[in-house]
Amino acid sequence: MTRKSGREQHLSALRSLSSMQPRLPLERGVEAIRALGAAEAAEFLDSLRMRTLVSRRLADSAETDPVVRECVIALSGKVERLRVMHEVLETNLRRVEDMALDLGIPVFGGKGIGAHTMYPDRSVRDFNDIDLFLRDRADAAKVATELRVVHGYRYQKYELPWFKVDPRERVVYGQIALVAPPDRPDLLNVDIHFGDYSVRHCGRLGIADAFWADKPGFHVLAAEENLACIVNNAAGDYFVTAKDTNDLLMALSLPGFDPAHFADLLRGAHLDGFFGFIAATLRASTALTAEQERRLREIPVRATLEPRPRPDTADWNRRCLGTTVHAFATRREHGVVSAARVAADAYSYYRKRLKLTAAPAGARREAAKAIALNPWTCVRLVPVDLALELVAGRGGGFGRGAATPRAATLDLDPGIERFESPAGTYFRIDGEVFIGTVDYVLDEEVIRQAAGSVG
């Protein structure tokens, strides 16, 4: 085993400082902050996503140590925002409950909302937003419409709505990310997931049945399904946070947690390889009880060719390689050739950073390819108003385009109507128009066609 460098040892100490059951004494974490300096220590602690817990633990040391004090101050802005978020969380969840009852549908809270229920003190578990899980896109659209029309939520500009289709299983699944109005700090951002939970480039977690309930209202995902979502999130980001390892620790501490069921979920989604990295990080940072260690050993870890995540930060290249390996493993049952093609598609997609842009009309040398609907094609939906911002000031009207697009309704979801033309694809979904994209490049002409179809 390679011996850790001094910096790596200090980072390990900060991971321990961020653990619910620290493996190292507090003094070792303080020593690491002094050695790394306040700025680097605060940046790393921020990335571990246990800011509130760490700030409380360092409170006494910050009174006497200027470096620790500077580190705590650097975290204080987000800690304060988290305090407010925790204060308004219950009110937001009651609003979701009332909305679900009014709509007559079951709505499930998951990820951070589900993880909170496992902590003795919920206020130490950082979270970013409210993750909701709906059984299908139609129900998700009802919730999204209610939030946008009644409460003023907007689409997340940097996380566009998207959907995928699994034609073999006849499943439409995806996500709608909404941000609260900037003048309403009492409202929390909401991520709406529907149909199933996507795993990296071409997989699914296979938890759609968990989104169903006999009665409408607000429910919480079972611990096993919820923890599988958290593992999937870490695998997608390709970085293991202390929040991830603490969530695993808290699950192992639940009397009713079923390691075998959880392991089945990971195995089915080919996440049992990446889970090994999370388990190793947990053991390195946390003082496990004998019972927690026993239950952790009940969750098998598969050997994987995925590269080990960096311990200090997310790494784009490792994420690309890991996702490519995972894509091959996921599609392997459909044949080597099919798996290789999808893996190559994953590598091509993830090796570059995508930015939403508009190409001048006719700039493409050939007609845009029709967007394929399958598990490895993520169809991003660009609202027309956002697309128009991309071409503002370029001149030209936005009436109906000359070419008449071919229209078709998605057989798996009659609420989705697609329009294909040589310039690209746009969709009308429950009456709202979006431009579809995979590569984040929109042709001006398809923007013009989509804008002309509104109203």
Side-chain angles (χ1 to χ4, degrees), residues 79-131:
V79 170
E80 174 57 20
R81 174 55 186 154
L82 285 161
R83 183 191 65 78
V84 174
M85 290 172 66
H86 277 284
E87 283 186 353
V88 302
L89 177 58
E90 287 303 319
T91 301
N92 278 258
L93 294 181
R94 283 196 295 272
R95 185 180 298 113
V96 172
E97 166 81 8
D98 292 341
M99 180 171 53
L101 291 172
D102 289 343
L103 294 172
I105 59 176
V107 177
F108 284 80
K111 295 172 66 176
I113 301 308
H116 274 136
T117 63
M118 302 187 295
Y119 283 70
D121 178 359
R122 299 182 182 187
S123 69
V124 302
R125 204 277 185 186
D126 292 0
F127 71 107
N128 298 318
D129 48 36
I130 295 177
D131 285 278

Side-chain angles (χ1 to χ4, degrees), residues 281-338:
T281 305
L282 174 66
R283 289 188 171 105
S285 61
T286 299
L288 295 171
T289 66
E291 177 61 13
Q292 289 165 346
E293 177 63 38
R294 183 190 68 77
R295 302 184 87 186
L296 181 58
R297 288 181 182 276
E298 291 180 9
I299 306 169
V301 173
R302 183 187 306 186
T304 179
L305 295 176
E306 295 178 21
R308 182 176 296 277
R310 282 182 55 165
D312 55 344
T313 187
D315 184 277
W316 192 272
N317 291 328
R318 296 191 195 198
R319 177 175 182 253
C320 176
L321 292 174
T323 302
T324 301
V325 171
H326 181 267
F328 184 88
T330 300
R331 298 298 299 178
R332 180 64 181 83
E333 65 180 279
H334 301 286
V336 174
V337 174
S338 174

Side-chain angles (χ1 to χ4, degrees), residues 176 292 434:
I176 305 169
Q292 289 165 346
F434 302 87

Side-chain angles (χ1 to χ4, degrees), residues 31-343:
E31 178 188 336
I33 295 172
R34 292 185 188 129
L36 294 170
E40 183 177 0
E43 182 179 7
F44 183 63
L45 289 168
D46 179 53
S47 74
L48 296 182
R49 303 294 188 264
M50 292 295 294
R51 312 169 188 94
T52 302
L53 175 69
V54 167
S55 295
R56 291 178 185 176
R57 284 183 173 162
L58 292 174
D60 289 342
S61 299
E63 293 184 2
T64 57
D65 190 310
V67 179
V68 175
R69 184 182 313 120
E70 186 180 348
C71 177
V72 170
I73 290 173
L75 295 172
S76 62
K78 291 185 178 178
V79 170
E80 174 57 20
R81 174 55 186 154
L82 285 161
R83 183 191 65 78
V84 174
M85 290 172 66
H86 277 284
E87 283 186 353
V88 302
L89 177 58
E90 287 303 319
T91 301
N92 278 258
L93 294 181
R94 283 196 295 272
R95 185 180 298 113
V96 172
E97 166 81 8
D98 292 341
M99 180 171 53
L101 291 172
D102 289 343
L103 294 172
I105 59 176
V107 177
F108 284 80
K111 295 172 66 176
I113 301 308
H116 274 136
T117 63
M118 302 187 295
Y119 283 70
D121 178 359
R122 299 182 182 187
S123 69
V124 302
R125 204 277 185 186
D126 292 0
F127 71 107
N128 298 318
D129 48 36
I130 295 177
D131 285 278
L132 302 179
F133 292 79
L134 282 298
R135 56 193 174 186
D136 55 35
R137 189 208 55 79
D139 282 359
K142 293 175 185 177
V143 173
T145 299
E146 180 85 1
L147 290 172
R148 292 173 60 219
V149 173
V150 178
H151 301 289
Y153 279 75
R154 299 168 289 117
Y155 290 118
Q156 168 62 267
K157 193 172 184 179
Y158 303 105
E159 180 65 34
L160 296 168
W162 61 266
F163 74 92
K164 291 183 177 183
V165 175
D166 187 335
R168 286 175 179 254
E169 300 294 331
R170 300 186 62 80
V171 175
V172 178
Y173 56 108
Q175 179 178 340
I176 305 169
L178 300 175
V179 292
D183 60 343
R184 292 290 305 275
D186 59 312
L187 296 180
L188 300 175
N189 294 346
V190 176
D191 270 5
I192 304 171
H193 311 270
F194 59 87
D196 202 344
Y197 200 45
S198 181
V199 176
R200 288 173 162 174
H201 186 63
C202 59
R204 287 192 294 119
L205 202 49
I207 59 171
D209 289 346
F211 305 162
W212 290 75
D214 294 334
K215 296 180 180 179
F218 180 71
H219 311 266
V220 177
L221 280 183
E224 296 81 9
E225 279 78 7
N226 195 57
L227 187 59
C229 289
I230 290 167
V231 171
N232 181 40
N233 226 51
D237 295 339
Y238 227 80
F239 181 64
V240 180
T241 69
K243 187 167 66 173
D244 300 326
T245 51
N246 281 329
D247 287 348
L248 172 57
L249 175 67
M250 293 296 99
L252 295 172
S253 307
L254 291 177
F257 183 73
D258 185 347
H261 177 49
F262 173 63
D264 285 343
L265 292 172
L266 296 185
R267 189 181 305 110
H270 296 274
L271 289 171
D272 44 351
F274 191 90
F275 176 75
F277 301 136
I278 298 178
T281 305
L282 174 66
R283 289 188 171 105
S285 61
T286 299
L288 295 171
T289 66
E291 177 61 13
Q292 289 165 346
E293 177 63 38
R294 183 190 68 77
R295 302 184 87 186
L296 181 58
R297 288 181 182 276
E298 291 180 9
I299 306 169
V301 173
R302 183 187 306 186
T304 179
L305 295 176
E306 295 178 21
R308 182 176 296 277
R310 282 182 55 165
D312 55 344
T313 187
D315 184 277
W316 192 272
N317 291 328
R318 296 191 195 198
R319 177 175 182 253
C320 176
L321 292 174
T323 302
T324 301
V325 171
H326 181 267
F328 184 88
T330 300
R331 298 298 299 178
R332 180 64 181 83
E333 65 180 279
H334 301 286
V336 174
V337 174
S338 174
R341 285 175 177 167
V342 175

